[in-house]
């Protein structure tokens, strides 16, 4: 499943294609959305925001298209009216004089009035989006200690979209490793320094992953490993998908566990339980 950084990258492409020209034609596959085609025609997209794994295409006429790609949705940007060869089903097409922005396979698409966006069931629940909002480390530290979060294990908190929007499975393992926190720990058991490191790791890794298309490892180390001929799959992460391989800091074997029916990887030396 794509995580926040991948959604933000897709949002950038959609935004770039759609903000320069007025929308010429709109097409929805779902019958209940058909009547919005005419309403959105001729409008201009002002910007495209993300909220965790959801995308918000904001028009200048008071409407917003909400979409959530779940597991399968995929955006394609093409020259106007050229379609990719794919077996996926087209669900939404936005055309202007130069480009077509095409959303395939997604089933979660809605058109909202701007004032309905903040009260939408997903949007109102999802945590802060590091890549679309100005979220400070101080704010995150305070958030970790809110009563609804502070007593839960980090391993389950980080996959809760209500905690921080857009953190998915690889980011969960990588954030905990960089922060030096054992997955079973809870915010309330962490020192102030650990909470600071967690806040810093959340921001740093989401932004770096966005800028590098998914690399969470130290970038200097990545350069070194590339020169040694390593493939992307082996230099991309600190611990994720590296079970049994040596920790890049101290050589301990990386351990894989299953938490919340998803894979989690950590270093027992760098991330002590107590
Ligand atoms: Zn280690």
């Amino acid at each position: 499943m794509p995580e926040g950084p991948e959604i933000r990258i897709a949002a950038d492409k959609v935004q770039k294609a759609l903000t320069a020209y007025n929308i010429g034609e709109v097409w929805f596959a779902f019958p209940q959305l058909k009547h919005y085609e005419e309403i959105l025609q001729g409008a201009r997209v002002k910007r495209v925001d993300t909220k965790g794994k959801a995308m918000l295409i904001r028009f200048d006429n008071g409407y917003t298209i909400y979409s959530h790609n779940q597991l399968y949705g995929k955006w394609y940007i093409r020259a106007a009216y050229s379609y990719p060869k794919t077996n996926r089903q087209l669900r939404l097409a936005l055309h202007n004089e130069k480009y077509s922005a095409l959303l395939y396979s997604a089933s979660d698409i809605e058109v909202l009035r701007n004032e309905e966006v903040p009260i939408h069931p997903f949007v109102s629940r999802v945590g802060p989006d590091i890549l679309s909002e100005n979220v400070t480390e101080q704010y995150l530290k305070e958030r970790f200690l809110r009563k609804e979060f502070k007593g839960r294990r980090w391993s389950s908190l980080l996959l809760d979209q209500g905690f921080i929007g857009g953190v998915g499975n690889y980011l969960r393992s990588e954030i905990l490793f960089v922060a030096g926190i054992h997955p079973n720990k809870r915010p309330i058991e962490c020192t102030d320094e650990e909470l600071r490191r967690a806040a810093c790791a959340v921001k740093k890794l989401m932004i770096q992953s966005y800028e590098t298309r998914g690399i969470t490892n130290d970038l200097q180390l990545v350069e070194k490993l590339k020169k040694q001929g390593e493939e992307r799959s082996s230099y991309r992460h600190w611990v994720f998908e590296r079970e049994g391989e040596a920790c890049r800091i101290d050589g301990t074997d990386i351990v894989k566990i299953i938490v919340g029916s998803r894979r989690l990887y950590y270093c027992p030396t760098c991330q002590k339980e107590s």
Side-chain angles (χ1 to χ4, degrees), residues 11-26 43-48 55 57-59 65 75-78 92-102:
D12 288 348
K13 289 184 189 160
V14 174
Q15 180 168 284
K16 194 160 173 245
L18 295 184
T19 48
Y21 308 91
N22 284 11
I23 296 292
E25 195 186 343
V26 179
R44 180 78 71 102
V45 171
K46 287 195 299 183
R47 63 176 197 278
V48 180
M55 194 184 286
I57 303 176
R58 299 188 187 270
F59 291 79
I65 296 181
W75 282 97
Y76 291 86
I77 306 299
R78 288 291 186 271
L92 163 62
L94 298 159
H95 308 282
N96 62 33
E97 60 186 72
K98 199 142 184 220
Y99 300 105
S100 292
L102 309 165

Side-chain angles (χ1 to χ4, degrees), residues 13-148:
K13 289 184 189 160
V14 174
Q15 180 168 284
K16 194 160 173 245
L18 295 184
T19 48
Y21 308 91
N22 284 11
I23 296 292
E25 195 186 343
V26 179
W27 180 88
F28 288 102
F30 300 123
Q32 71 272 23
L33 296 176
K34 284 283 181 196
H35 67 283
Y36 288 112
E37 293 173 350
E38 211 177 298
I39 292 172
L40 297 175
Q41 233 170 55
R44 180 78 71 102
V45 171
K46 287 195 299 183
R47 63 176 197 278
V48 180
D49 291 326
T50 54
K51 193 71 182 154
K53 298 175 189 177
M55 194 184 286
L56 298 165
I57 303 176
R58 299 188 187 270
F59 291 79
D60 65 356
N61 64 351
Y63 287 86
T64 293
I65 296 181
Y66 164 93
S67 62
H68 194 302
N69 279 358
Q70 307 294 356
L71 282 176
Y72 305 108
K74 187 169 166 58
W75 282 97
Y76 291 86
I77 306 299
R78 288 291 186 271
Y81 293 98
S82 40
Y83 295 85
K85 283 202 179 81
T86 171
N87 292 327
R88 296 165 182 269
Q89 290 214 312
L90 184 61
R91 294 289 167 68
L92 163 62
L94 298 159
H95 308 282
N96 62 33
E97 60 186 72
K98 199 142 184 220
Y99 300 105
S100 292
L102 309 165
L103 177 56
Y104 286 82
S105 305
S107 52
D108 200 356
I109 303 172
E110 293 174 52
V111 181
L112 307 169
R113 294 280 314 166
N114 284 348
E115 60 271 21
E116 295 172 316
V117 174
I119 54 170
H120 180 275
F122 180 83
V123 175
S124 63
R125 236 205 103 244
V126 71
D129 186 308
I130 305 289
L131 299 174
S132 285
E133 294 158 28
N134 184 22
V135 181
T136 64
E137 285 176 27
Q138 187 57 33
Y139 171 84
L140 286 174
K141 263 180 72 182
E142 286 164 17
R143 188 170 182 81
F144 299 160
L145 293 177
R146 283 197 199 173
K147 71 171 185 316
E148 65 268 39

